[in-house]
Structure formats: structure tokens, C-alpha cells
Amino acid sequence: MRHLLPIFVTCLLASCSSSGIFGSGKFTKNASRITSVRTTAYTHSESDHIIYGARTAVGTNLKYGNVRSAAADWSVFPVGTIFQIEGLPYVYQVDDYGSALVGTNTIDLYKPDKATMKAWGVRNVNIRVLKWGSFSKSLSILKPRTAYPHIRKMVSRIETST
């Protein structure tokens, strides 16, 4: 029996990878480590974020301390997902989203200024999900905002996957 577990896990991972869950085939909803995640950076002073100020989609202040804000497609990384980038000491919490992120499997990391944002650039990183967020909480925040196409797409993807 003990020898069957590694075989089962290998088969399970191979089937998830071949099915292309979440587009890249590199992770599933229950994974704790996700390899080669595309990350970008954003700041509150960018022209497309100025109208929101330093606030997140959940209505809190953008964070840049030991816990940092991150934006993602909530149908992939639901609101409240907490993760760490391997090799960095900070913890990130998904508390924001962006129209350009929907359908891309990209995580946008909040930076306090444009220089820090530009210094990050685009990086593929390995992340460790410490706690998955809530699809139901994501829906409760998103449903009143469905006038926007990217919000409708996230809502639809969540509703069809849960």
C-alpha cells in the first residue's frame, strides 16, 4: 500500500498537467507550490489606477510591508489567497484585481512607486500558496460589478468551476 501512494500522486499530477487546469497545466486548486508563475507589478500612481487611489478592490488600503497586496484573476486566485514567492521573505495577499489580468494566470504585485514597479518588471517565480482564498467571497464582491466585461468573465468562470 505504501508503494502505491507515489504512483497515485504521479498519475494524479500527470492527469492535472495534461488537462491544462488554469491554462498553464502547472497547478491545481489544491496545490501548495506553483512553479513558473508570471508576475508583473503595479502602483497606485499609474494612470489606470489613479481613480482608485491607494485602495484595493476589497476597499482596504494597498499594503506594502511584511504582508503585501497582490492583484489577480479571482477565478484563478480567489480573493484572500495568501502566498509567498520562494526566496523572498514577504507574504502576499490577493485583495485586488485588474482587467488586464483576467484569463492570463498572471499575478500583479503592488509596489509603492513607479521606480520599484519598473525594477520588478516581469518575472516568472515559484510561489507557495499558504492559504487559498474564497470563491464565494470573490463572487459576493464581483457580482454587483458585472457591468464590466472582465468582471463578468471572472464571475462566469467561478460559477462554472464551483
Side-chain angles (χ1 to χ4, degrees), residues 48-136:
D48 64 340
H49 206 280
I50 283 182
I51 61 171
Y52 306 108
R55 307 286 288 172
T56 67
V58 297
T60 59
N61 289 328
L62 288 160
K63 297 181 288 295
Y64 192 76
N66 289 330
V67 177
R68 298 178 174 198
S69 292
D73 177 340
W74 288 3
S75 65
V76 178
F77 298 99
V79 67
T81 297
I82 298 171
F83 66 93
Q84 190 167 24
I85 295 173
E86 289 184 358
L88 296 180
Y90 316 108
V91 173
Y92 293 85
Q93 181 174 18
V94 175
D95 56 8
D96 212 354
Y97 58 75
S99 60
L101 300 171
V102 178
T104 66
N105 299 326
T106 298
I107 297 175
D108 214 3
L109 307 172
Y110 173 69
K111 303 295 181 183
D113 55 61
K114 287 183 181 179
T116 310
M117 176 190 79
K118 288 179 182 179
W120 182 265
V122 177
R123 299 182 192 184
N124 287 330
V125 299
N126 298 331
I127 68 170
R128 184 162 310 280
V129 176
L130 306 175
K131 177 183 169 242
W132 282 99
S134 166
F135 286 113
S136 61

